[in-house]
Every structure is written in structure tokens, then in C-alpha cells.
């Protein structure tokens, strides 16, 4: 295992973090014995950063991780979990959830605690409820060691949140398709320039970039490489190639996938890919984007929609459906984000469109937005 340093505290963390959002299942519930065995094996093999959250597995992820870290394993790792912003209605709620999480995890402190799924509006809401006071006091009394946040908002909202509090770290979505999505490369570099550690989620786009059988056009590109790698290794190594990255999370639930990811993490130094390899990855990214149905960049100029449609979210999920052909995953993500609960906003389904046309006047890509939204609703609702 390779280790990278958290800039503000000097913590040596495993380059690969274990994400506990997609644990192995059996009969609709977590396969506890298998999940605990996987987590402990990963720790034995050098993983020191484990990431969970209040809602993962309908609230069962944190208790499972607590069980896995018994028998001396707690002292070997750093735990990361998150405050569920969309459930917080008062300053008191923040302490209530944190204390419940400590109990669930069987620990007296959270090593890395994140304000979950921030966007510009949700940060303003949680800040007004007393988030800064909560973090300051929880750090002072030792329940939180390192405060941070995870981000799911628009690009322009990221920098103000970074600057709003003395965070130790942040967590962003980043992969070779998402260089201009949400925080993107610009956000990664800005956070690092401010001394924040950066934890990466979705390096494989929910596993889609790791499919053993990618689209034929993508497979043809990988076949051109002098050094042969799996799709998962290409995607992971591209993220680790960035020196600004501290930890890359992978939601692992298969023993062979864990073994493969550990093997990659043992050799994926920053700045280790050649110029030719980076060119191939750029070609792969461009080819994936050609498979996209909508040329939406996620700029958000079309918002706010009078009918409440979350247009960039709808288009993102529609593109994922056609790029990867994974209908179940696309429908799941569409319903999770378009419903509004994750980002603390009103529902914004494609079918809410009333064809007023205001969005088309604002779109720099000249997308026929109402017509595409009809296709989105037909495909995903």
C-alpha cells in the first residue's frame, strides 16, 4: 500500500480508502459476515481510511462498520462519516446525529467528519443553523478530530465553501469524465492550494468505468496501450496520477475487486502515467462523451427553472443511461437526486417541465431542453 499525507495534520493515509456504501448483500440486507471479513482483510493489507455515512444501506452501514472494527481494528484506522444535512432542522439536531453516530460506530471520536452533500444552498442553510459553532465545539470536546465536507453542487459554489471555514479536508466526485463536473479539476486544484486534503469519491463513476466489457469503442482505445491494464486500473491510476489527491475511495464488495484495487494502490504513484497513456485516457473520455445523448456541461445557466426541474441533474442521469447501458443504476441515481432530498431542494423531475422555454434562452449549448426532458421522463420515470 502506498500512503499519502493529509496536508494540515500530517496523517499518513492509505491511498485507497474503503467506501462502505455498496457492501455485499444477501436477501436484501448486508451480508454481515462477508462484509466484516472484507473490511478486515483490507485493513490487514494496509487500508487505513474507511468511509461511511448516516443513510448508507438505510442506516445499517455505520453499525456494520462498528462491528468490523472490534477486536483491535479500530486502533488501526481512521473513520470518516457524515452529518446528514437534509435531516438537520436545528442546531441541536447536529449534536443528536453525531452522538448517535458515535454510538453506532462504537467509538468516542470520528477521525474525519464531513458535512454531507453540500451545495451552495444547502451550505447556506446548514451554516445559518449553526454548523460552524457545532464543528468548533465538537472539535474542542474531541468528538470530531478533523472537520471536512463533501460536495455535490455547482462549480461556482465550491470555492466559497472552501473559504468559509478552516476545513482540514473535502470530498469531491472526480474521474476522467468529470473534470468539469461539480468541483472538477478546478476545484481539486483550488482545495489543494488552500492546504486541504482531497478525498475522491466515484473514481469509477459508480463502477461504470470499471466494467470488464466497456463499450467497443473504448475497448479499442485501451487495446492500443503498450502496458495493458483493466478499465478499472486505467480509471484509478488516472485519479491517483494527480498529486493533489490524498485518498481515493472505492465502494468494494467483491473479494477479487478488492484484491485488484489493492494491487493498483500499491504502485499508483502521482505523476506516474506517461504522456502517451494520458493521451489514451483523454481519447477514451472523448469517446465516452460522444456516446452521451445531451451536450450538457452542467453549467447551470438554465436554472432556476420556473417549474422546478433540475435540468442538469436530469441530463446527467440520462447521459449515464446511454453511455453505460445500466438502466437500474441510472434510474436509482435519477430518483435519488431528482427527488431533491440529497441536495436539500424541491423535487425536480423532467416530467415537471411545462415547456415555457425560458431555459432555452439561457443555454449556451443551444440544447432543445424541453424536448430532451420528454425523452428523459420517458426513459427514467
Amino acid at each position: 500500500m502506498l500512503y499519502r499525507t493529509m496536508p494540515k495534520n500530517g496523517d499518513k493515509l492509505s491511498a485507497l480508502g474503503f467506501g462502505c456504501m455498496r457492501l455485499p448483500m444477501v436477501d436484501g440486507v448486508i451480508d454481515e459476515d462477508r462484509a466484516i471479513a472484507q473490511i478486515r482483510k483490507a485493513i490487514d493489507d494496509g487500508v487505513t481510511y474507511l468511509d461511511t455515512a448516516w443513510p448508507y444501506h438505510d442506516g445499517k452501514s455505520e453499525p456494520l462498520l462498528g462491528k468490523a472494527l472490534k477486536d483491535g481494528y479500530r486502533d488501526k484506522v481512521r473513520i470518516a462519516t457524515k452529518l446528514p444535512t437534509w435531516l438537520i432542522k436545528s442546531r441541536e439536531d447536529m449534536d443528536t446525529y453525531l452522538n448517535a453516530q458515535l454510538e453506532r460506530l462504537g467509538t468516542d471520536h470520528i477521525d474525519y467528519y464531513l458535512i454531507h452533500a453540500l451545495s451552495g444552498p444547502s451550505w447556506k442553510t446548514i451554516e445559518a443553523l449553526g454548523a460552524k459553532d457545532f464543528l468548533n465545539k465538537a472539535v474542542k470536546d474531541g468528538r470530531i478530530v478533523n472537520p471536512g465536507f463533501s460536495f455535490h453542487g455547482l462549480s461556482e459554489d465550491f470555492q466559497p465553501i472552501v473559504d468559509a471555514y478552516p476545513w482540514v479536508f473535502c470530498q469531491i466526485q472526480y474521474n476522467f469524465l468529470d473534470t468539469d463536473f461539480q468541483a472538477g479539476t478546478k476545484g481539486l486544484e483550488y482545495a489543494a492550494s488552500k492546504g486541504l486534503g482531497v478525498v475522491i469519491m466515484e473514481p469509477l463513476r459508480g463502477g461504470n468505468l470499471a466494467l470488464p466489457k466497456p463499450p467497443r469503442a473504448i475497448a479499442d482505445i485501451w487495446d492500443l496501450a503498450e502496458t495493458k491494464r483493466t478499465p478499472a486500473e486505467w480509471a484509478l491510476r488516472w485519479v491517483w496520477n494527480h498529486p493533489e489527491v490524498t485518498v481515493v475511495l472505492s465502494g468494494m464488495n467483491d473479494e477479487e475487486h478488492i484484491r485488484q484495487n489493492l494491487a493498483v494502490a500499491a504502485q499508483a504513484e502521482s505523476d506516474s502515467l506517461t504522456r502517451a497513456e494520458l493521451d489514451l485516457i483523454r481519447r477514451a473520455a472523448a469517446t465516452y462523451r460522444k456516446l452521451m445523448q445531451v451536450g450538457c456541461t452542467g453549467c447551470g445557466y438554465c436554472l432556476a427553472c420556473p417549474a422546478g426541474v433540475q435540468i442538469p441533474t436530469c441530463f446527467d442521469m440520462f447521459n449515464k443511461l446511454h453511455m453505460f447501458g445500466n438502466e437500474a443504476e441510472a434510474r436509482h441515481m435519477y430518483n435519488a437526486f431528482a427527488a431533491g432530498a440529497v441536495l436539500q431542494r424541491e423535487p425536480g423531475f423532467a416530467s415537471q417541465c411545462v415547456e415555457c422555454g425560458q431555459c432555452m434562452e439561457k443555454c449556451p449549448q443551444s440544447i432543445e431542453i424541453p424536448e430532451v426532458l420528454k425523452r428523459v421522463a420517458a426513459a427514467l420515470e
Side-chain angles (χ1 to χ4, degrees), residues 232-279:
E233 184 172 358
W234 281 115
L236 289 171
R237 287 189 68 117
W238 182 87
V239 179
W240 273 314
N241 201 60
H242 294 76
E244 301 90 351
V245 169
T246 310
V247 175
V248 175
L249 298 175
S250 181
M252 303 176 284
N253 55 30
D254 178 85
E255 287 76 10
E256 179 58 21
H257 292 166
I258 296 171
R259 186 196 67 76
Q260 292 173 3
N261 288 353
L262 286 165
V264 178
Q267 54 184 308
E269 299 275 7
S270 62
D271 296 320
S272 61
L273 293 176
T274 68
R275 180 175 299 178
E277 289 171 333
L278 290 171
D279 285 341

Short mmCIF file of all heavy atoms in Angstrom, two decimals, residues 232-279:
data_model
loop_
_atom_site.label_atom_id
_atom_site.label_comp_id
_atom_site.label_asym_id
_atom_site.label_seq_id
_atom_site.Cartn_x
_atom_site.Cartn_y
_atom_site.Cartn_z
N ALA A 232 -10.72 -0.67 -14.89
CA ALA A 232 -10.68 -0.13 -13.52
C ALA A 232 -9.31 0.46 -13.21
O ALA A 232 -9.21 1.53 -12.59
CB ALA A 232 -11.01 -1.23 -12.51
N GLU A 233 -8.24 -0.21 -13.63
CA GLU A 233 -6.91 0.31 -13.34
C GLU A 233 -6.65 1.61 -14.08
O GLU A 233 -6.06 2.54 -13.52
CB GLU A 233 -5.84 -0.72 -13.71
CG GLU A 233 -4.44 -0.26 -13.33
CD GLU A 233 -3.37 -1.32 -13.49
OE1 GLU A 233 -3.71 -2.46 -13.87
OE2 GLU A 233 -2.19 -1.00 -13.24
N TRP A 234 -7.09 1.71 -15.33
CA TRP A 234 -6.92 2.97 -16.05
C TRP A 234 -7.59 4.11 -15.30
O TRP A 234 -7.01 5.19 -15.12
CB TRP A 234 -7.50 2.86 -17.47
CG TRP A 234 -6.63 2.15 -18.45
CD1 TRP A 234 -6.89 0.96 -19.07
CD2 TRP A 234 -5.34 2.57 -18.93
NE1 TRP A 234 -5.85 0.62 -19.91
CE2 TRP A 234 -4.89 1.59 -19.84
CE3 TRP A 234 -4.54 3.68 -18.69
CZ2 TRP A 234 -3.67 1.70 -20.51
CZ3 TRP A 234 -3.32 3.79 -19.34
CH2 TRP A 234 -2.90 2.81 -20.24
N ALA A 235 -8.82 3.86 -14.86
CA ALA A 235 -9.58 4.93 -14.19
C ALA A 235 -8.96 5.30 -12.85
O ALA A 235 -8.84 6.49 -12.52
CB ALA A 235 -11.03 4.49 -14.01
N LEU A 236 -8.58 4.31 -12.06
CA LEU A 236 -8.00 4.59 -10.75
C LEU A 236 -6.63 5.27 -10.87
O LEU A 236 -6.34 6.23 -10.16
CB LEU A 236 -7.87 3.29 -9.95
CG LEU A 236 -9.17 2.67 -9.45
CD1 LEU A 236 -8.92 1.29 -8.87
CD2 LEU A 236 -9.84 3.57 -8.40
N ARG A 237 -5.82 4.76 -11.78
CA ARG A 237 -4.48 5.35 -11.91
C ARG A 237 -4.56 6.79 -12.40
O ARG A 237 -3.71 7.62 -12.04
CB ARG A 237 -3.62 4.50 -12.85
CG ARG A 237 -3.18 3.18 -12.22
CD ARG A 237 -2.17 2.47 -13.09
NE ARG A 237 -0.92 3.21 -13.11
CZ ARG A 237 0.24 2.75 -12.65
NH1 ARG A 237 0.30 1.55 -12.09
NH2 ARG A 237 1.33 3.47 -12.73
N TRP A 238 -5.56 7.10 -13.22
CA TRP A 238 -5.71 8.48 -13.68
C TRP A 238 -5.97 9.40 -12.48
O TRP A 238 -5.40 10.49 -12.40
CB TRP A 238 -6.86 8.59 -14.68
CG TRP A 238 -7.03 9.98 -15.21
CD1 TRP A 238 -6.40 10.55 -16.28
CD2 TRP A 238 -7.88 11.01 -14.67
NE1 TRP A 238 -6.79 11.86 -16.44
CE2 TRP A 238 -7.71 12.16 -15.46
CE3 TRP A 238 -8.76 11.05 -13.60
CZ2 TRP A 238 -8.39 13.35 -15.21
CZ3 TRP A 238 -9.44 12.24 -13.33
CH2 TRP A 238 -9.25 13.37 -14.15
N VAL A 239 -6.81 8.99 -11.55
CA VAL A 239 -7.08 9.82 -10.38
C VAL A 239 -5.84 9.92 -9.51
O VAL A 239 -5.45 11.01 -9.08
CB VAL A 239 -8.26 9.26 -9.57
CG1 VAL A 239 -8.52 10.13 -8.34
CG2 VAL A 239 -9.53 9.19 -10.42
N TRP A 240 -5.20 8.80 -9.23
CA TRP A 240 -4.01 8.81 -8.38
C TRP A 240 -2.85 9.55 -9.03
O TRP A 240 -1.91 9.95 -8.34
CB TRP A 240 -3.58 7.38 -8.05
CG TRP A 240 -4.25 6.80 -6.85
CD1 TRP A 240 -4.43 7.40 -5.64
CD2 TRP A 240 -4.83 5.49 -6.74
NE1 TRP A 240 -5.07 6.55 -4.77
CE2 TRP A 240 -5.33 5.38 -5.41
CE3 TRP A 240 -4.97 4.42 -7.60
CZ2 TRP A 240 -5.97 4.23 -4.95
CZ3 TRP A 240 -5.59 3.28 -7.14
CH2 TRP A 240 -6.09 3.19 -5.83
N ASN A 241 -2.90 9.74 -10.33
CA ASN A 241 -1.82 10.46 -11.00
C ASN A 241 -1.76 11.92 -10.57
O ASN A 241 -0.74 12.58 -10.73
CB ASN A 241 -2.01 10.39 -12.52
CG ASN A 241 -0.74 10.66 -13.29
OD1 ASN A 241 0.26 9.94 -13.14
ND2 ASN A 241 -0.75 11.70 -14.10
N HIS A 242 -2.85 12.42 -9.98
CA HIS A 242 -2.92 13.81 -9.53
C HIS A 242 -2.30 13.93 -8.13
O HIS A 242 -2.81 13.36 -7.17
CB HIS A 242 -4.37 14.29 -9.49
CG HIS A 242 -5.01 14.37 -10.85
ND1 HIS A 242 -5.44 13.24 -11.53
CD2 HIS A 242 -5.27 15.43 -11.65
CE1 HIS A 242 -5.95 13.62 -12.70
NE2 HIS A 242 -5.86 14.93 -12.79
N PRO A 243 -1.24 14.69 -7.97
CA PRO A 243 -0.60 14.81 -6.65
C PRO A 243 -1.48 15.50 -5.62
O PRO A 243 -1.25 15.36 -4.42
CB PRO A 243 0.67 15.63 -6.94
CG PRO A 243 0.39 16.33 -8.22
CD PRO A 243 -0.51 15.43 -9.01
N GLU A 244 -2.51 16.23 -6.07
CA GLU A 244 -3.40 16.91 -5.14
C GLU A 244 -4.32 15.94 -4.39
O GLU A 244 -4.91 16.30 -3.37
CB GLU A 244 -4.27 17.93 -5.89
CG GLU A 244 -3.49 19.00 -6.63
CD GLU A 244 -3.13 18.61 -8.05
OE1 GLU A 244 -3.33 17.42 -8.43
OE2 GLU A 244 -2.65 19.48 -8.80
N VAL A 245 -4.46 14.73 -4.91
CA VAL A 245 -5.37 13.74 -4.33
C VAL A 245 -4.73 13.07 -3.12
O VAL A 245 -3.58 12.63 -3.18
CB VAL A 245 -5.75 12.68 -5.38
CG1 VAL A 245 -6.47 11.50 -4.74
CG2 VAL A 245 -6.61 13.31 -6.48
N THR A 246 -5.48 12.98 -2.04
CA THR A 246 -4.97 12.33 -0.82
C THR A 246 -5.43 10.88 -0.74
O THR A 246 -4.62 9.97 -0.58
CB THR A 246 -5.44 13.09 0.44
OG1 THR A 246 -5.16 14.48 0.30
CG2 THR A 246 -4.74 12.55 1.68
N VAL A 247 -6.73 10.66 -0.84
CA VAL A 247 -7.31 9.31 -0.74
C VAL A 247 -8.33 9.12 -1.86
O VAL A 247 -9.09 10.05 -2.18
CB VAL A 247 -8.02 9.10 0.62
CG1 VAL A 247 -8.72 7.74 0.67
CG2 VAL A 247 -7.03 9.22 1.77
N VAL A 248 -8.34 7.94 -2.44
CA VAL A 248 -9.35 7.58 -3.43
C VAL A 248 -10.24 6.50 -2.83
O VAL A 248 -9.76 5.43 -2.43
CB VAL A 248 -8.71 7.06 -4.73
CG1 VAL A 248 -9.79 6.58 -5.71
CG2 VAL A 248 -7.86 8.15 -5.37
N LEU A 249 -11.53 6.79 -2.73
CA LEU A 249 -12.48 5.83 -2.18
C LEU A 249 -12.98 4.88 -3.26
O LEU A 249 -13.22 5.29 -4.40
CB LEU A 249 -13.69 6.55 -1.58
CG LEU A 249 -13.43 7.48 -0.41
CD1 LEU A 249 -14.72 8.20 -0.03
CD2 LEU A 249 -12.89 6.70 0.78
N SER A 250 -13.15 3.64 -2.87
CA SER A 250 -13.78 2.67 -3.76
C SER A 250 -14.79 1.87 -2.95
O SER A 250 -14.45 1.33 -1.89
CB SER A 250 -12.73 1.73 -4.38
OG SER A 250 -13.36 0.81 -5.27
N GLY A 251 -16.03 1.84 -3.44
CA GLY A 251 -17.07 1.07 -2.76
C GLY A 251 -16.97 -0.39 -3.14
O GLY A 251 -17.61 -0.84 -4.09
N MET A 252 -16.20 -1.13 -2.39
CA MET A 252 -15.83 -2.50 -2.78
C MET A 252 -16.70 -3.54 -2.06
O MET A 252 -16.92 -3.45 -0.86
CB MET A 252 -14.35 -2.73 -2.47
CG MET A 252 -13.43 -1.74 -3.16
SD MET A 252 -11.67 -1.91 -2.74
CE MET A 252 -11.62 -1.18 -1.10
N ASN A 253 -17.16 -4.54 -2.82
CA ASN A 253 -17.97 -5.60 -2.21
C ASN A 253 -17.69 -6.98 -2.78
O ASN A 253 -18.42 -7.94 -2.54
CB ASN A 253 -19.46 -5.28 -2.36
CG ASN A 253 -19.86 -5.03 -3.81
OD1 ASN A 253 -19.28 -5.59 -4.74
ND2 ASN A 253 -20.86 -4.19 -3.99
N ASP A 254 -16.63 -7.09 -3.57
CA ASP A 254 -16.24 -8.36 -4.17
C ASP A 254 -14.77 -8.61 -3.87
O ASP A 254 -13.93 -7.73 -4.08
CB ASP A 254 -16.47 -8.32 -5.69
CG ASP A 254 -16.04 -9.59 -6.38
OD1 ASP A 254 -16.83 -10.55 -6.42
OD2 ASP A 254 -14.88 -9.62 -6.86
N GLU A 255 -14.46 -9.79 -3.38
CA GLU A 255 -13.10 -10.08 -2.93
C GLU A 255 -12.07 -9.90 -4.03
O GLU A 255 -10.97 -9.36 -3.80
CB GLU A 255 -13.02 -11.50 -2.37
CG GLU A 255 -13.69 -11.69 -1.02
CD GLU A 255 -15.21 -11.75 -1.09
OE1 GLU A 255 -15.77 -11.82 -2.22
OE2 GLU A 255 -15.85 -11.73 -0.02
N GLU A 256 -12.40 -10.30 -5.26
CA GLU A 256 -11.45 -10.16 -6.35
C GLU A 256 -11.24 -8.70 -6.72
O GLU A 256 -10.12 -8.26 -7.00
CB GLU A 256 -11.92 -10.95 -7.56
CG GLU A 256 -11.00 -10.86 -8.78
CD GLU A 256 -9.57 -11.34 -8.51
OE1 GLU A 256 -9.35 -12.10 -7.55
OE2 GLU A 256 -8.67 -10.94 -9.28
N HIS A 257 -12.32 -7.92 -6.70
CA HIS A 257 -12.18 -6.49 -6.99
C HIS A 257 -11.32 -5.80 -5.92
O HIS A 257 -10.52 -4.92 -6.24
CB HIS A 257 -13.55 -5.83 -7.06
CG HIS A 257 -14.37 -6.26 -8.23
ND1 HIS A 257 -15.71 -6.02 -8.34
CD2 HIS A 257 -14.02 -6.95 -9.36
CE1 HIS A 257 -16.16 -6.52 -9.47
NE2 HIS A 257 -15.16 -7.10 -10.10
N ILE A 258 -11.51 -6.20 -4.67
CA ILE A 258 -10.70 -5.63 -3.59
C ILE A 258 -9.24 -5.95 -3.82
O ILE A 258 -8.35 -5.09 -3.69
CB ILE A 258 -11.17 -6.15 -2.22
CG1 ILE A 258 -12.61 -5.68 -1.95
CG2 ILE A 258 -10.23 -5.68 -1.10
CD1 ILE A 258 -13.25 -6.32 -0.73
N ARG A 259 -8.97 -7.21 -4.16
CA ARG A 259 -7.59 -7.63 -4.42
C ARG A 259 -6.98 -6.81 -5.55
O ARG A 259 -5.83 -6.32 -5.46
CB ARG A 259 -7.54 -9.11 -4.76
CG ARG A 259 -6.12 -9.67 -4.89
CD ARG A 259 -6.10 -11.01 -5.59
NE ARG A 259 -6.51 -10.90 -6.98
CZ ARG A 259 -5.71 -10.42 -7.94
NH1 ARG A 259 -4.49 -9.99 -7.66
NH2 ARG A 259 -6.15 -10.35 -9.19
N GLN A 260 -7.74 -6.63 -6.64
CA GLN A 260 -7.24 -5.87 -7.78
C GLN A 260 -6.98 -4.40 -7.41
O GLN A 260 -5.94 -3.84 -7.78
CB GLN A 260 -8.24 -5.95 -8.93
CG GLN A 260 -8.35 -7.34 -9.55
CD GLN A 260 -9.48 -7.42 -10.58
OE1 GLN A 260 -10.15 -6.43 -10.88
NE2 GLN A 260 -9.69 -8.60 -11.13
N ASN A 261 -7.91 -3.80 -6.67
CA ASN A 261 -7.73 -2.40 -6.29
C ASN A 261 -6.53 -2.22 -5.36
O ASN A 261 -5.79 -1.23 -5.46
CB ASN A 261 -8.99 -1.87 -5.61
CG ASN A 261 -10.14 -1.66 -6.59
OD1 ASN A 261 -9.97 -1.78 -7.80
ND2 ASN A 261 -11.31 -1.36 -6.07
N LEU A 262 -6.33 -3.16 -4.46
CA LEU A 262 -5.17 -3.11 -3.58
C LEU A 262 -3.87 -3.20 -4.37
O LEU A 262 -2.89 -2.51 -4.08
CB LEU A 262 -5.24 -4.23 -2.54
CG LEU A 262 -6.26 -4.04 -1.41
CD1 LEU A 262 -6.50 -5.36 -0.68
CD2 LEU A 262 -5.79 -2.98 -0.43
N ALA A 263 -3.88 -4.05 -5.39
CA ALA A 263 -2.69 -4.22 -6.22
C ALA A 263 -2.36 -2.93 -6.96
O ALA A 263 -1.19 -2.52 -7.06
CB ALA A 263 -2.89 -5.37 -7.20
N VAL A 264 -3.40 -2.25 -7.48
CA VAL A 264 -3.17 -0.98 -8.17
C VAL A 264 -2.67 0.07 -7.19
O VAL A 264 -1.75 0.84 -7.48
CB VAL A 264 -4.46 -0.51 -8.87
CG1 VAL A 264 -4.22 0.84 -9.55
CG2 VAL A 264 -4.93 -1.54 -9.89
N ALA A 265 -3.29 0.10 -6.00
CA ALA A 265 -2.93 1.10 -4.99
C ALA A 265 -1.49 0.94 -4.51
O ALA A 265 -0.90 1.88 -3.98
CB ALA A 265 -3.88 1.02 -3.80
N ALA A 266 -0.92 -0.22 -4.69
CA ALA A 266 0.45 -0.46 -4.25
C ALA A 266 1.50 0.14 -5.18
O ALA A 266 2.68 0.19 -4.84
CB ALA A 266 0.69 -1.97 -4.11
N GLN A 267 1.05 0.60 -6.36
CA GLN A 267 2.04 1.10 -7.32
C GLN A 267 1.63 2.40 -8.02
O GLN A 267 2.37 2.92 -8.86
CB GLN A 267 2.29 0.03 -8.39
CG GLN A 267 1.04 -0.45 -9.09
CD GLN A 267 1.31 -1.58 -10.08
OE1 GLN A 267 2.18 -1.44 -10.94
NE2 GLN A 267 0.59 -2.67 -9.96
N ALA A 268 0.47 2.95 -7.66
CA ALA A 268 -0.05 4.11 -8.37
C ALA A 268 0.48 5.41 -7.77
O ALA A 268 -0.21 6.12 -7.04
CB ALA A 268 -1.58 4.10 -8.35
N GLU A 269 1.71 5.72 -8.08
CA GLU A 269 2.31 6.98 -7.64
C GLU A 269 1.72 8.14 -8.42
O GLU A 269 1.23 7.98 -9.55
CB GLU A 269 3.83 6.94 -7.86
CG GLU A 269 4.55 5.84 -7.10
CD GLU A 269 4.91 6.26 -5.68
OE1 GLU A 269 4.48 7.34 -5.25
OE2 GLU A 269 5.63 5.48 -5.01
N SER A 270 1.79 9.34 -7.86
CA SER A 270 1.37 10.51 -8.61
C SER A 270 2.38 10.79 -9.73
O SER A 270 3.56 10.43 -9.63
CB SER A 270 1.25 11.73 -7.69
OG SER A 270 2.50 12.04 -7.10
N ASP A 271 1.88 11.41 -10.79
CA ASP A 271 2.71 11.76 -11.95
C ASP A 271 3.46 10.56 -12.53
O ASP A 271 4.59 10.70 -13.02
CB ASP A 271 3.71 12.86 -11.57
CG ASP A 271 3.02 14.16 -11.19
OD1 ASP A 271 2.03 14.51 -11.84
OD2 ASP A 271 3.48 14.81 -10.22
N SER A 272 2.82 9.38 -12.49
CA SER A 272 3.49 8.17 -12.96
C SER A 272 3.02 7.73 -14.34
O SER A 272 3.67 6.87 -14.97
CB SER A 272 3.28 7.02 -11.96
OG SER A 272 1.90 6.71 -11.83
N LEU A 273 1.93 8.27 -14.85
CA LEU A 273 1.47 7.91 -16.18
C LEU A 273 2.27 8.68 -17.23
O LEU A 273 2.62 9.84 -17.04
CB LEU A 273 -0.02 8.22 -16.34
CG LEU A 273 -0.98 7.39 -15.49
CD1 LEU A 273 -2.42 7.88 -15.69
CD2 LEU A 273 -0.88 5.91 -15.82
N THR A 274 2.54 8.02 -18.34
CA THR A 274 3.28 8.67 -19.41
C THR A 274 2.38 9.60 -20.21
O THR A 274 1.15 9.54 -20.12
CB THR A 274 3.88 7.63 -20.37
OG1 THR A 274 2.80 6.98 -21.07
CG2 THR A 274 4.70 6.59 -19.61
N ARG A 275 2.99 10.44 -21.01
CA ARG A 275 2.21 11.36 -21.84
C ARG A 275 1.33 10.57 -22.81
O ARG A 275 0.18 10.93 -23.05
CB ARG A 275 3.15 12.28 -22.61
CG ARG A 275 2.43 13.28 -23.50
CD ARG A 275 3.40 14.26 -24.14
NE ARG A 275 4.10 15.04 -23.14
CZ ARG A 275 5.03 15.95 -23.43
NH1 ARG A 275 5.36 16.19 -24.69
NH2 ARG A 275 5.63 16.63 -22.47
N ALA A 276 1.88 9.48 -23.35
CA ALA A 276 1.10 8.65 -24.28
C ALA A 276 -0.10 8.02 -23.57
O ALA A 276 -1.20 7.93 -24.15
CB ALA A 276 1.99 7.56 -24.88
N GLU A 277 0.09 7.59 -22.33
CA GLU A 277 -1.02 6.99 -21.59
C GLU A 277 -2.09 8.03 -21.25
O GLU A 277 -3.30 7.74 -21.35
CB GLU A 277 -0.48 6.34 -20.31
CG GLU A 277 0.32 5.08 -20.59
CD GLU A 277 1.05 4.55 -19.36
OE1 GLU A 277 1.36 5.34 -18.46
OE2 GLU A 277 1.31 3.33 -19.31
N LEU A 278 -1.67 9.22 -20.89
CA LEU A 278 -2.63 10.28 -20.62
C LEU A 278 -3.41 10.66 -21.88
O LEU A 278 -4.61 10.96 -21.83
CB LEU A 278 -1.92 11.51 -20.05
CG LEU A 278 -1.37 11.34 -18.63
CD1 LEU A 278 -0.49 12.53 -18.26
CD2 LEU A 278 -2.49 11.18 -17.61
N ASP A 279 -2.75 10.60 -23.03
CA ASP A 279 -3.43 10.87 -24.30
C ASP A 279 -4.50 9.81 -24.58
O ASP A 279 -5.59 10.13 -25.06
CB ASP A 279 -2.43 10.91 -25.45
CG ASP A 279 -1.60 12.19 -25.46
OD1 ASP A 279 -2.02 13.18 -24.82
OD2 ASP A 279 -0.53 12.19 -26.10
#
